Amino acid sequence: MKIAFANLAQPATGVAVAFATTGRQLTTSAQALDKQAGGALTRAVKGSKFKGNKGQTLTLMAPAGSKLNRIILVGLGKAKDINDLGMQGLGGKVQANVAASGQTAASVLVDEIADSSLSVTDMAANLAYGARLRAYRFDKYRTKEEADKKPSLKNLRVLCPRSARAKATFAPMDKVADGVCLTRDLVSEPPNVIYPASLAKQARELSKLGVKVEVLGEAQMKKLGMGALLGVGQGSVRESQMVVMRWNGGGRGKGSDPVAFVGKGVTFDTGGISIKPAGGMEDMKWDMGGSGVVIGLMKALAGRKAKANVVGVVGLVENMPDGNAQRPGDIVTSMSGQTIEIINTDAEGRLVLADALHYTVEKFKPKFVVDLATLTGAIIISLGDQHAGLFSNNDTLSERLSKAGEAVNEKVWRLPVGDAYDKQIDSSVADMKNTGGRGAGSITAAQFLQRFTGKTPWAHLDIAGVTWSSKDTDTVPKGGTAFGVRLLDRLVADHYERK
Ligand code: BES
Ligand code: MN
Ligand code: ZN
């Protein structure tokens, strides 16, 4: 779908979308369309339940007196409640509506609204952003879908006053959407296509945007002593990889230490020798979701030329059962020197992150490190699909993440960490074990990670419940959500960019 901005004008053909606020208050453009249609729009409104409440729609087909195929009237809600997320949601709704209609082009008329806290150009830009986010579809392997089942909308025109300004406001949002779409592609691809080396290759593509990308193979990781990560991958015929991405948009000198993001990239998680049951195992293709977010985030930041120094590190492995696979009972030595007794080979994400986190904090001395991982089934029991789990040793970082999450509607909920939980992963034969017993499974997983972050401010996002969605929402079609890209882009934008 293409998106274009232009100044307000009465559209002559196709679909026209206009707005009303609560109380059936038609905007200036909606009134003009009504006039053109000989008052049919206001009559239709009067004969319906349409009040102008946020998200309500009313469709007028083939209005007499104009060449338009349809007019869609959309409720904005109360003028004073108009905000960025609300406009994104409406953009998504409009996109889905027209895409299902068979129409290929639509013009959305965005007017100045008195009492709105959002300027008209911000309204238009956010509407376009929401439409773009909703328009994502992963259909490259569907060779036989009938044409009229595919989304029809090809050209979305957003018409508003000062459209050049709206276009400029939309530009960085468009770059974030590029990152979101890359992440969604990566988590949607099947595990025979996305495996450590091919995912690393996708990350390498970011060098075109000015990201410095370095890929470590098994020989290099062995030299570095990454026994925890390598143990997970040793049962796979696919070579494990670690990718280090650097975006240096923040300049040098005092205060230029980077911020760091680390992602779990298990390209397929069978559980290994502690093998998972067959039902639903195909979902474990998206066990690389954390790494997908880090790669998409780097694309977003580089795309919009963020004025920040950012490191992204992803640990990429495939967890397979095999004659050479890791066993329960094995003891591995991590890069940090700490030894780990393997109790369950299905608790593999923390092993990958142990070495990725240690490497990151040692090598880059970042201001903070945030890791993302589809780490535990337990977080789905705790929080479902509405919040990611947040675990941290730092209140400021936690606050900032919570606020950023609210701002972009990718919400996080903080859970505790502490010494008593930490004891649950003490081992009698090694420094620690990789599972902590039945209770508090998401917390003991976080405690494990914390043992590899030293004194660096750290936060862990357990995204197992939010990485894949079974239903559409206004801006997130079902499938891979890319939860985390918008959140972390916002964290960087709000706190870590040079002005
Ligand atoms: N990748 C899984 C967690 C997961 C489960 C993500 C369901 C998404 C949906 C992880 O590697 C795992 O298997 N965790 C185990 C840990 C247990 C063995 C301590 C779990 O949660 O059952
Ligand atoms: Mn697992
Ligand atoms: Zn896993």
Side-chain angles (χ1 to χ4, degrees), residues 286 376-389 411 413 415 442 462-468 471 483:
W286 47 262
T376 66
I379 203 69
I380 309 176
I381 307 297
S382 309
L383 301 174
D385 59 5
Q386 292 302 309
H387 289 85
K411 288 181 285 216
W413 195 261
L415 289 157
S442 303
D462 193 333
I463 57 173
V466 295
T467 292
W468 192 266
K471 53 185 186 305
F483 183 108

Side-chain angles (χ1 to χ4, degrees), residues 264 266 269-271 274 276 280 283-284 286-288 319 343-350 373-380 434-437 441-442 444-445 462-465 467:
K264 167 179 172 180
V266 177
D269 181 13
T270 64
S274 314
K276 289 179 180 294
D283 283 349
M284 287 301 106
W286 47 262
D287 208 21
M288 38 57 70
N319 188 21
I343 301 297
N344 188 319
T345 64
D346 197 11
E348 84 297 339
R350 65 199 73 183
T374 49
L375 203 61
T376 66
I379 203 69
I380 309 176
N434 79 329
T435 61
S442 303
T444 52
D462 193 333
I463 57 173
T467 292

